[in-house]
Structures are given as C-alpha cells and as structure tokens.
Amino acid sequence: VSFALLVGLFCAAGLAGRAAIVRMSDVIGETLESVQQDAQLSSRLSGAVTQELAAAQRYLETRDSSAQEDFRRLAREAHAAQRAMNLLHGQGAREMALVASIDARLSDIEVRYARAHRLADLGRREAATAEGRAARTGVEALLSDVRQLATLKARGVDAASLKLRRDAQQRGTWV
C-alpha cells in the first residue's frame, strides 16, 4: 500500500511539474510575442518618420517625383504604425502620450512640407524655402519624442525579461 501511495505521489508531482513547465512555456511565448510586436512597431514608426523627413526635404531641394512619392508613402506608413501602436494592449500612459505627440508633431511637419512642395511647384522658391525651414524647426522635438519612445520600449523589454526570470525562479522553486 505504501509503495503504491509513493508511486501515486511521484506521478502527481510529475504531472504538477509538467503543468508548471507547460504554463511557463506559454507565458514566455506570450510575453515574447508581445515584446516583439511592440519593438517591431516602434522600429517601423521610427524608420518611417526619419525616411519621410528625408524624402520631404529631398523633394523640396530637387523636386524629384520619386521623392514626393516616397514622402507620401512613408507618411501613410508612419501613421499606420502609430495607429497600430495605439491598439496594443498594455501601453503605459507615457507611451500613449509619446505616440500621440509624435503623431501631432509629424502631422504638423507634413502639412508644412506639403505647403512648401506646392509653393515650389508654383515656382515660389523663396516662400517654399521659408516654409521648409519652418517645417524643420519641429524636427528636433519630433525626433526627441521618437528617441524617448525607443527608450521606453527598451525598458519594457528589460522589465519583461526580469518578470520572466522571476516567474521561472518561482516556478522552479515550487517544482
């Protein structure tokens, strides 16, 4: 009887250990997926913003139609990334505020560059140059917000890593 009880207890412990490991694997998978998606969107937003600004300035200087097409395409891409980031679960108030600030600043710069492009198309180079200069005044604040968002996302990765380590240690102790 005692041997059967001992075997039963070992089986129960094995099942409990297996369940803990399976659950930990699920938690790790979910966390990594969330962190990866967040990082990809942040990178997409950052890349689209910087490339869009470069294309806007390039069109103003050269009036090359491919630069204008790039400007428009990258604007759509940047705003799509921003919308996707707003839909992510678990965003902190600071992250949401930065994404909103990036969107507002980028929109203002886009309007100014679009106005500068139209002025250049109309042959009003002096006015176009002045409007382009006005657009560039907001670039540093925009890029500062993008850097701050990247820093917050990096901290999020560190926090997720620390949480996973703690969970693994706790489950290891329990098992």
Side-chain angles (χ1 to χ4, degrees):
V1 171
S2 62
F3 180 73
L5 180 64
L6 187 60
V7 168
L9 287 175
F10 276 134
C11 288
L15 289 174
R18 184 181 188 301
I21 290 171
V22 166
R23 178 64 192 136
M24 189 62 201
S25 176
D26 291 344
V27 167
I28 289 171
E30 291 167 7
T31 302
L32 290 177
E33 181 180 336
S34 173
V35 167
Q36 182 180 22
Q37 183 182 23
D38 203 19
Q40 285 175 342
L41 284 173
S42 179
S43 176
R44 214 173 98 201
L45 177 64
S46 176
V49 165
T50 55
Q51 290 176 11
E52 178 189 358
L53 295 174
Q57 186 60 36
R58 193 170 65 249
Y59 180 76
L60 191 57
E61 293 169 356
T62 65
R63 297 194 45 227
D64 176 21
S65 62
S66 68
Q68 185 178 39
E69 289 170 18
D70 288 345
F71 171 64
R72 290 176 179 163
R73 177 183 52 79
L74 291 162
R76 285 189 302 273
E77 190 176 312
H79 289 287
Q82 176 267 326
R83 283 189 302 276
M85 289 181 87
N86 282 335
L87 296 175
L88 286 178
H89 297 292
Q91 297 289 321
R94 181 70 181 134
E95 290 168 308
M96 295 294 284
L98 277 171
V99 170
S101 177
I102 289 167
D103 186 49
R105 290 179 197 274
L106 181 59
S107 294
D108 182 56
I109 291 168
E110 288 168 344
V111 167
R112 289 186 179 278
Y113 267 122
R115 191 176 307 134
H117 295 167
R118 295 304 69 80
L119 289 167
D121 292 343
L122 293 171
R124 298 177 56 194
R125 295 299 292 162
E126 214 171 280
T129 301
E131 194 64 37
R133 204 175 309 116
R136 285 189 302 280
T137 62
V139 168
E140 187 53 42
L142 171 64
L143 294 179
S144 174
D145 282 352
V146 169
R147 284 189 297 271
Q148 287 179 47
L149 182 63
T151 300
L152 279 177
K153 297 301 181 185
R155 286 184 189 147
V157 170
D158 291 344
S161 174
L162 180 62
K163 183 181 181 307
L164 288 174
R165 268 190 249 121
R166 284 185 186 152
D167 285 353
Q169 287 172 347
Q170 286 174 349
R171 288 178 194 271
T173 300
W174 184 78
V175 171

